[in-house]
Amino acid sequence: MNQQFERREFIKLMSIAGMSLVLPVSMNKNTFHNWKINPQLKNDYFSFHFDSETGRFSIIQNNGNFSLLNGTTRANTLFGKRSISEKSYQHSLEIITFKDPLGIGKKIILNSKDSLGELDFEIEVSLYDNWNQILLEARCKNVSKRDLNIKSIEPICAIEEIGSSLNWDGISKVLTNGAMYYDSGMIHEFGSPYKEPTPYGPTKGGILSPDFVYPAENRIRSWWNLAFFRGYNKEGLVCGFLDNKNGLGQLVASKKSSSEISLYTESVFAPGFILPPGKSISSNKFMISIDKNPYQALENYAKVMGIFNLAKPSSIVNGWCSWFYTYGDVTEDEVIKNAEFISKNLKQYGLTYVQIDEGYQKYHGDWEGNSKFPHGMKWLADKIKSFGLKPGLWIAPYIVSEPTEIFQMNPDWFLKKSDGSLMRVGPWPSEDTDWFRDENPKRYGLDITHPEAAKWFYNLFDTIGNKWGYEMIKIDFVAWSIFSAHHFYDSAKTPAQVYRKGLEIIREAIGNKKHINDCGPGNVSAGLIDSMRIELDQNYGYSKAAWQQYFLDSSSSAPAAAKRYYFHKKTWINDADHVCINLLPFPKAQAAATIIGLSGGNIISGDRLINIDAVHLNILSKIYPSFGEAAKPVDLFDNDKQTVFALKIEKDFGSWTVIAFFNPDESETITKEFSLERFWLDPNKTYIAYDFWMQKFFGEFSNSIKVRLLPSSVTLIAVHEKLDRPQVLSTDRHILQGAHELENVKWDAVNNTLYGTSLGILNTSHNIAVHLPIGQNWVQGQNSLYHDFENFSVKFVDDQIVQVNVKFEKGEKIDWYINFYESFK
């Protein structure tokens, strides 16, 4: 019997072991095959075992599919690592029943006392009655009489170097996550050579930079969470930090064999973080989640994360932003002209926010309007409101330029280097560049752990939110300010703690009704923000760059909307990018608009709307307002740049699935084919679909869907289960084809009549496509004619498609019907 077989047999037998809560039981490497061992903690899904002799623990899935064996917990200090598996630690534990926001369960509280009198550990392991997740949190307490420099805590260390491993058969790919919005992670073939993604912004010295803990070539690093994949219809495994209130969670994994993985987890503080005597710091909660498929595992991870962070994401921005065609050259007049255009042409479709971006301020740190904004920022906010719109404002609140009064008068309010000198901040790659040397004016990082700086910070947002009246605030430039800090004025604070403190101050100042859009690490700020940028918003200068921005890079809008879809509405509202389509030809514009519309989150136009043509304006209008639900990436683990998305729409009168197939290639026509199961549809049923952008019947199919895609295009279809009676297939009002504009649809079999209620904008009209189960032959003067009724008309447009044109001339709701005895004979 080989060792791998023995391990699996042991795990299976462990799953039927008794429930006795025996306190410390030895389970070291030499006694691993003692099948009489009982776990200290167990629920229907997992068991937890701790060996008090070795300071090692194991986590085992009761069905035997998963195990983490001989793991430990460690801390990284200035003088090296400390681990609960050291002989200097004495262990005791207690088991308690608890109730928290997630539910009821039992937890082990493991106390590891340091006989050297330096650093104690307390580890909590929680299992819930009705959740198939296990949570672990590690705390370190300074029990010495001196300050300790604690760089990080490793809540779970299960790496080959210490004789530990995570065991899960058949992993083929992993999904990583990036540190900031501009790195959405990657799909990686597990076990193949790995190269760290090229970062955007500073790469040296910052806590989020790749060189902070750089994995070896065959090791994969992910921030916050990591998903392991072994098939769409097989169990999914997600490991990740549920909150990052103290440190910045990262994971490193490597493949040892077909079933064995080295897993390293770390909550990173700061190089200069100090833990005073008697004080404690936590790694925050870390979760291992196994679910029936990879989508469910990802979504449950995000759901639990949202619960623990008290996230209540509901506010969605349907708006416009000045940045992507003005950059820093925005003017007051430009904003007003676009706001006026919006009020006349797009407000009625749901676009309500007008956000002024970088370029309005006198300096970073002096946020009143410059000479291009002669009436001031309060006046402009009031002007935007006069159009019936909501004003929004970009700000980099932790960045302060050298000429400002706040810097000149208060140099002690700013971040310092390790030697105590002032620390410059900026997006330059390193200080050894002309960019750094020639920057003018120089910029510095505000340190809000200084009490007076915190007061100034509060007053700034009180002014913006209450005195000026801005209703949406976009926070930016945090990676190279707070998260580049060596230490803070209060050296017992970490960057994560300081960033959350800043957002708490902002919330206290502006209240909970104003929208915060975070261009920072949402996994740190969850629960305090409304929405988070999830992709790299870098370049729209020309048509080619705009197309690349949406589809061609690993962190473009489509891949970002795919790799971070599961966070949406569970931890925050996703912001997948601005809609900049005026530079794109019509098919590309349709594709770009579609991917942002399907993201379910913020929809923010970035074009100069006063110059937009009628066709592009019509395309733009079809994605407003945001529906609020994110489409799932059907090909999430197929490759690193996802191009197929599906969203199930459920209404009281029925349900359908909207599917988008994208072809980013600018020269090749391609064909895509997927089984119906990949879209969460029943392969034993027959479906029919309608093509939204082409406005034509797509066809009837079962088992699979096959699509031919022209270069640089999207095919967007609404898929319905085929019925033996007339049924609504689509509308041309909105890309979700009835989600907003259909209030009700009802079939009256007795009278052979289809009834509907449609919603629309006053003085507009749109079309509804109705499918007939049996085709009608075209007859001149009969089927070709319009049948007019009050507020709507009906006409055959294909042998199985009847078009209803609803006209909102007298109101915003129309009841319509088609009597198939009277209208078509």
Side-chain angles (χ1 to χ4, degrees):
M1 182 183 293
N2 62 43
Q3 185 178 16
Q4 184 63 41
F5 178 76
E6 291 181 44
R7 275 192 183 183
R8 292 180 185 173
E9 288 302 305
F10 166 76
I11 293 167
K12 289 178 182 178
L13 287 171
M14 288 300 298
S15 70
I16 59 172
M19 287 299 294
S20 173
L21 299 178
V22 179
L23 300 189
V25 178
S26 176
M27 189 175 78
N28 57 36
K29 193 171 183 179
N30 295 324
T31 61
F32 180 78
H33 300 291
N34 181 357
W35 292 349
K36 296 182 180 180
I37 293 172
N38 288 327
Q40 288 96 338
L41 195 64
K42 185 175 181 179
N43 68 2
D44 291 341
Y45 307 101
F46 289 101
S47 58
F48 177 83
H49 311 255
F50 180 71
D51 182 349
S52 61
E53 294 182 9
T54 63
R56 298 295 187 93
F57 56 79
S58 295
I59 298 168
I60 298 169
Q61 190 181 14
N62 294 340
N63 63 11
N65 290 340
F66 166 91
S67 65
L68 187 153
L69 302 175
N70 294 320
T72 192
T73 297
R74 309 191 298 191
N76 293 292
T77 76
L78 182 63
F79 301 106
K81 290 185 182 293
R82 298 300 312 274
S83 169
I84 63 169
S85 57
E86 295 173 20
K87 294 186 181 297
S88 61
Y89 281 96
Q90 302 297 316
H91 310 288
S92 64
L93 57 84
E94 61 176 324
I95 300 173
I96 63 172
T97 299
F98 70 94
K99 182 179 181 180
D100 65 16
L102 194 58
I104 298 172
K106 285 186 171 62
K107 71 170 62 175
I108 281 182
I109 301 176
L110 169 64
N111 289 289
S112 299
K113 300 293 184 182
D114 184 7
S115 62
L116 301 178
E118 182 182 67
L119 194 65
D120 285 355
F121 287 86
E122 181 183 277
I123 299 167
E124 287 190 8
V125 180
S126 303
L127 288 174
Y128 293 83
D129 291 350
N130 297 308
W131 286 86
N132 52 349
Q133 288 89 22
I134 185 167
L135 277 60
L136 187 147
E137 180 176 7
R139 296 184 186 88
C140 290
K141 182 177 182 180
N142 182 356
V143 293
S144 74
K145 296 182 180 179
R146 58 186 175 85
D147 289 343
L148 292 179
N149 180 196
I150 308 295
K151 298 179 182 296
S152 65
I153 296 175
E154 303 167 19
I156 295 179
C157 180
I159 58 176
E160 184 176 15
E161 289 83 348
I162 66 167
S164 179
S165 65
L166 185 154
N167 304 278
W168 206 50
D169 279 336
I171 300 172
S172 58
K173 296 182 182 182
V174 293
L175 167 61
T176 70
N177 199 351
M180 292 285 290
Y181 69 93
Y182 43 72
D183 176 9
S184 62
M186 63 186 298
I187 300 295
H188 183 74
E189 296 280 350
F190 199 35
S192 63
Y194 171 79
K195 182 179 180 181
E196 187 83 16
T198 302
Y200 168 74
T203 60
K204 299 295 180 184
I207 197 169
L208 296 175
S209 63
D211 59 333
F212 190 80
V213 176
Y214 197 89
E217 184 184 56
N218 64 336
R219 292 179 175 175
I220 297 168
R221 179 168 80 159
S222 180
W223 287 94
W224 324 119
N225 59 284
L226 185 63
F228 297 93
F229 174 80
R230 55 182 188 174
Y232 285 105
N233 295 318
K234 296 183 178 181
E235 284 185 327
L237 169 64
V238 175
C239 301
F241 289 85
L242 291 177
D243 63 306
N244 295 274
K245 296 173 182 176
N246 296 321
L248 309 178
Q250 69 166 332
L251 303 87
V252 177
S254 61
K255 191 172 186 178
K256 296 169 59 179
S257 69
S258 62
S259 62
E260 289 184 288
I261 305 164
S262 279
L263 179 67
Y264 170 90
T265 71
E266 183 179 29
S267 182
V268 182
F269 303 139
F273 169 71
I274 297 298
L275 187 64
K279 297 296 183 180
S280 299
I281 182 105
S282 164
S283 67
N284 296 129
K285 292 179 174 62
F286 186 86
M287 183 172 83
I288 295 173
S289 174
I290 299 176
D291 224 304
K292 60 184 179 181
N293 62 60
Y295 294 100
Q296 197 65 47
L298 285 165
E299 290 165 23
N300 275 341
Y301 164 72
K303 180 178 180 179
V304 175
M305 180 181 166
I307 290 171
F308 275 111
N309 286 280
L310 303 179
K312 297 178 181 179
S314 59
S315 171
I316 296 177
V317 172
N318 291 283
W320 172 87
C321 172
S322 64
W323 175 250
F324 288 101
Y325 73 91
T326 68
Y327 293 97
D329 293 326
V330 61
T331 66
E332 176 184 279
D333 186 57
E334 186 71 23
V335 172
I336 293 170
K337 287 179 179 178
N338 281 275
E340 184 176 13
F341 180 91
I342 290 166
S343 71
K344 295 176 180 178
N345 298 280
L346 287 166
K347 183 175 71 172
Q348 61 268 45
Y349 290 95
L351 196 161
T352 55
Y353 284 87
V354 171
Q355 185 239 308
I356 304 132
D357 216 278
E358 164 88 282
Y360 67 89
Q361 72 278 2
K362 292 179 179 177
Y363 287 105
H364 294 136
D366 185 349
W367 299 103
E368 184 49 272
N370 55 36
S371 59
K372 296 179 295 179
F373 291 77
H375 294 93
M377 301 313 292
K378 181 184 186 309
W379 180 92
L380 184 53
D382 290 340
K383 185 68 174 177
I384 292 169
K385 291 179 182 179
S386 75
F387 293 117
L389 303 170
K390 299 178 181 180
L393 195 68
W394 173 95
I395 188 170
Y398 303 102
I399 308 299
V400 177
S401 295
E402 192 171 41
T404 59
E405 181 180 353
I406 177 182
F407 178 80
Q408 294 297 326
M409 299 296 292
N410 308 283
D412 54 332
W413 292 9
F414 296 89
L415 296 175
K416 307 294 193 300
K417 297 180 179 179
S418 58
D419 63 6
S421 62
L422 279 169
M423 173 184 165
R424 283 180 55 194
V425 298
W428 7 264
S430 75
E431 294 187 4
D432 187 25
T433 60
D434 289 339
W435 186 356
F436 171 83
R437 288 184 286 267
D438 298 339
E439 185 180 53
N440 183 31
K442 297 178 175 63
R443 293 177 287 184
Y444 299 87
L446 185 70
D447 184 348
I448 60 169
T449 68
H450 191 293
E452 295 303 313
K455 290 179 183 178
W456 180 89
F457 194 80
Y458 175 91
N459 291 335
L460 170 64
F461 283 95
D462 179 49
T463 296
I464 293 171
N466 302 318
K467 296 175 183 176
W468 291 354
Y470 285 88
E471 299 181 45
M472 174 258 191
I473 297 174
K474 179 180 174 182
I475 308 295
D476 207 354
F477 293 177
V478 300
W480 44 273
S481 55
I482 283 181
F483 292 105
S484 67
H486 175 272
H487 66 279
F488 295 94
Y489 177 85
D490 181 349
S491 60
K493 298 296 183 185
T494 68
Q497 290 172 338
V498 174
Y499 193 53
R500 286 190 65 86
K501 173 183 172 67
L503 285 163
E504 288 167 357
I505 292 172
I506 295 171
R507 274 291 176 218
E508 182 183 359
I510 70 173
N512 292 322
K513 293 183 179 180
K514 297 181 189 294
H515 188 105
I516 296 177
N517 179 224
D518 187 16
C519 294
N523 297 68
V524 173
S525 55
L528 295 169
I529 62 171
D530 293 290
S531 62
M532 177 194 164
R533 293 304 302 274
I534 62 168
E535 52 65 61
L536 173 57
D537 58 335
Q538 194 166 12
N539 191 347
Y540 293 89
Y542 298 101
S543 177
K544 186 176 181 62
W547 186 243
Q548 179 174 341
Q549 180 64 32
Y550 289 111
F551 294 104
L552 301 184
D553 290 335
S554 180
S555 288
S556 294
S557 298
K563 296 171 196 171
R564 286 173 164 166
Y565 89 93
Y566 54 95
F567 287 113
H568 179 66
K569 286 193 78 173
K570 298 177 179 66
T571 54
W572 53 69
I573 297 298
N574 276 350
D575 184 343
D577 204 359
H578 294 70
V579 189
C580 297
I581 60 175
N582 212 17
L583 292 171
L584 298 173
F586 301 145
K588 286 185 174 182
Q590 291 169 347
T594 299
I595 189 57
I596 301 303
L598 288 179
S599 74
N602 293 349
I603 299 179
I604 303 176
S605 171
D607 282 319
R608 192 181 199 204
L609 294 177
I610 56 176
N611 284 358
I612 198 168
D613 62 79
V615 177
H616 282 94
L617 180 62
N618 183 50
I619 293 170
L620 186 61
S621 71
K622 293 184 185 300
I623 62 172
Y624 284 108
S626 173
F627 183 60
E629 300 295 334
K632 287 186 180 182
V634 175
D635 55 345
L636 177 57
F637 288 94
D638 290 7
N639 47 63
D640 192 44
K641 300 181 184 110
Q642 294 75 16
T643 58
V644 183
F645 293 78
L647 175 61
K648 186 173 183 179
I649 308 296
E650 296 187 83
K651 305 279 282 186
D652 291 340
F653 59 83
S655 64
W656 62 97
T657 300
V658 175
I659 303 175
F661 300 87
F662 297 93
N663 179 11
D665 194 286
E666 296 182 83
S667 58
E668 296 293 327
T669 296
I670 63 172
T671 299
K672 292 181 181 287
E673 185 172 9
F674 290 83
S675 64
L676 290 182
E677 293 102 321
R678 293 287 296 274
F679 303 100
W680 306 278
L681 299 173
D682 187 342
N684 298 313
K685 293 182 178 180
T686 299
Y687 294 88
I688 52 178
Y690 198 82
D691 187 322
F692 178 79
W693 292 114
M694 295 298 291
Q695 283 297 294
K696 68 177 185 179
F697 184 52
F698 178 82
E700 178 180 313
F701 47 85
S702 57
N703 298 315
S704 66
I705 304 177
K706 188 175 184 179
V707 182
R708 182 174 179 270
L709 296 162
L710 297 175
S712 307
S713 71
V714 59
T715 293
L716 178 68
I717 58 175
V719 178
H720 295 252
E721 182 182 343
K722 185 181 180 182
L723 305 177
D724 60 358
R725 60 165 178 81
Q727 63 189 114
V728 170
L729 273 190
S730 178
T731 84
D732 64 0
R733 158 64 189 95
H734 192 279
I735 62 169
L736 299 187
Q737 303 170 66
H740 289 289
E741 64 274 25
L742 280 176
E743 184 175 83
N744 192 33
V745 177
K746 182 175 66 175
W747 172 248
D748 181 347
V750 173
N751 296 302
N752 204 31
T753 300
L754 184 69
Y755 292 93
T757 300
S758 292
L759 305 176
I761 298 161
L762 195 62
N763 297 320
T764 68
S765 67
H766 64 255
N767 297 310
I768 302 160
V770 176
H771 178 263
L772 303 184
I774 300 174
Q776 299 287 322
N777 291 326
W778 181 81
V779 177
Q780 184 174 347
Q782 294 182 19
N783 294 348
S784 62
L785 297 179
Y786 285 93
H787 297 260
D788 292 324
F789 304 88
E790 185 178 9
N791 301 321
F792 69 96
S793 61
V794 180
K795 184 185 187 300
F796 262 100
V797 294
D798 204 342
D799 60 349
Q800 287 185 269
I801 301 296
V802 174
Q803 183 184 84
V804 182
N805 180 254
V806 283
K807 306 175 182 68
F808 299 91
E809 297 171 347
K810 298 178 181 179
E812 297 182 339
K813 180 187 288 190
I814 290 176
D815 293 321
W816 53 268
Y817 67 91
I818 308 174
N819 185 301
F820 288 90
Y821 286 133
E822 296 178 357
S823 297
F824 306 105
K825 296 178 181 179

